[in-house]
């Protein structure tokens, strides 16, 4: 229950504004357990934790092309248009980060240059919750695509019926995500870090999340 404090005295302001402290010792221990279970148990451990933490039994973790097609038909036209406009704007903004290779001849016969190369495989984490964070999909996947990342993996927790929110799938397929998996929490991060039979390991992971993530 939310505690409401009205008109506190000035000397009470500092204590009231303190952020709650996280007990990091026990948290780190718990996350390490989850990480090791996924590292050693792979898909089986991931399915069990999806059942234990999300209350969902998952048979196939990878979202199929058919699921994506069905999801697109469920997204209202007005929202589809808004997402496409957002994609255009975000693409325009991040395109400015792409620079041509600049070279300089430091001495006769010696030419130096700086070159930006996209990370080959990246993982994106999209949290679950009451609202689908499709904006996070756009803000992570579009720069990855522009950078030239060849494989863009996305993990997000399944809904209670075992599906992924249609808007997230719609945004993902428009922005170049190559594979989508039904996995959330620290276990999803572990899967992208170590790899499982189904989820490939990546070289860098991006995205927001709770203290476990």
């Amino acid at each position: 229950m939310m505690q409401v404090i009205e008109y506190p005295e000035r000397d009470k302001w500092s204590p009231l504004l303190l952020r709650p402290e996280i007990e990091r010792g026990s948290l780190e221990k718990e996350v390490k357990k989850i990480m090791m279970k996924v590292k050693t148990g792979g898909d089986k451990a991931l399915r069990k934790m999806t059942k234990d933490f999300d209350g969902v039994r998952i048979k196939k973790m990878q979202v199929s092309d058919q699921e994506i097609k069905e999801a697109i038909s469920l997204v209202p036209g007005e929202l589809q248009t808004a997402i496409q406009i957002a994609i255009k704007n975000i693409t325009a903004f991040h395109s400015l980060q792409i620079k041509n290779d600049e070279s300089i001849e430091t001495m006769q016969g010696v030419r130096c240059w700086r070159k930006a190369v996209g990370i080959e495989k990246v993982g994106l984490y999209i949290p679950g919750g009451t609202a689908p964070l499709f904006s996070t999909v756009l803000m992570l996947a579009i720069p990855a695509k522009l950078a030239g990342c060849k494989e863009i993996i996305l993990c997000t927790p399944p809904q209670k019926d075992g599906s992924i929110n249609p808007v997230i799938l719609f945004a993902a397929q428009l922005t170049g995500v190559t594979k989508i998996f039904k996995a959330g929490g620290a276990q999803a991060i572990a899967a992208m870090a170590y790899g499982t039979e189904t989820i490939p390991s990546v070289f860098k992971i991006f995205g927001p999340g709770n203290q476990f993530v």
Side-chain angles (χ1 to χ4, degrees):
M1 182 179 290
M2 181 185 292
Q3 183 183 8
V4 178
I5 301 170
E6 296 183 353
Y7 310 115
E9 297 295 329
R10 183 176 288 273
D11 60 352
K12 300 288 195 307
W13 289 5
S14 293
L16 288 172
L17 292 173
L18 287 174
R19 287 182 175 271
E21 286 290 326
I22 299 171
E23 209 296 278
R24 297 188 183 278
S26 60
L27 177 65
E28 186 175 349
K29 189 176 179 182
E30 189 63 32
V31 170
K32 279 184 177 178
K33 280 184 188 176
I34 292 170
M35 299 288 282
M36 290 311 298
K37 282 179 182 177
V38 175
K39 185 178 182 180
T40 57
D43 284 352
K44 185 178 179 181
L46 204 51
R47 285 194 183 93
K48 185 177 186 308
M49 281 187 267
T50 301
K51 178 179 172 292
D52 292 346
F53 297 146
D54 299 315
V56 184
R57 291 179 183 273
I58 294 294
K59 288 184 179 179
K60 291 186 177 180
M61 283 183 287
Q62 184 170 351
V63 175
S64 67
D65 291 340
Q66 183 59 35
E67 285 177 284
I68 293 171
K69 285 179 184 177
E70 290 173 2
I72 293 170
S73 66
L74 296 173
V75 180
E78 200 173 273
L79 182 54
Q80 288 193 25
T81 301
I83 289 172
Q84 287 165 342
I85 291 170
I87 289 172
K88 183 181 177 182
N89 292 336
I90 295 168
T91 301
F93 177 80
H94 284 291
S95 293
L96 293 174
Q97 294 175 274
I98 301 171
K99 298 189 182 299
N100 295 325
D101 297 340
E102 296 178 6
S103 65
I104 183 172
E105 190 173 33
T106 54
M107 57 186 295
Q108 188 173 0
V110 178
R111 186 160 290 279
C112 301
W113 65 90
R114 181 175 61 186
K115 183 178 181 180
V117 179
I119 300 169
E120 187 177 349
K121 295 193 295 181
V122 294
L124 312 182
Y125 184 73
I126 310 300
T130 54
L133 295 181
F134 63 87
S135 58
T136 306
V137 178
L138 306 183
M139 291 185 285
L140 296 179
I142 291 171
K145 185 71 174 176
L146 287 171
C149 301
K150 293 177 182 176
E151 198 166 356
I152 304 173
I153 306 301
L154 186 150
C155 282
T156 189
Q159 301 180 116
K160 292 301 179 184
D161 63 357
S163 68
I164 300 299
N165 188 286
V167 188
I168 287 178
L169 296 183
F170 177 74
Q173 60 88 30
L174 280 181
T175 51
V177 172
T178 51
K179 292 178 182 176
I180 306 167
F181 297 97
K182 302 171 183 179
Q187 60 271 23
I189 305 302
M192 290 190 283
Y194 299 123
T196 71
E197 298 90 328
T198 302
I199 301 177
S201 62
V202 299
F203 299 138
K204 193 165 184 178
I205 301 169
F206 301 85
N210 62 18
Q211 58 191 16
F212 281 85
V213 170

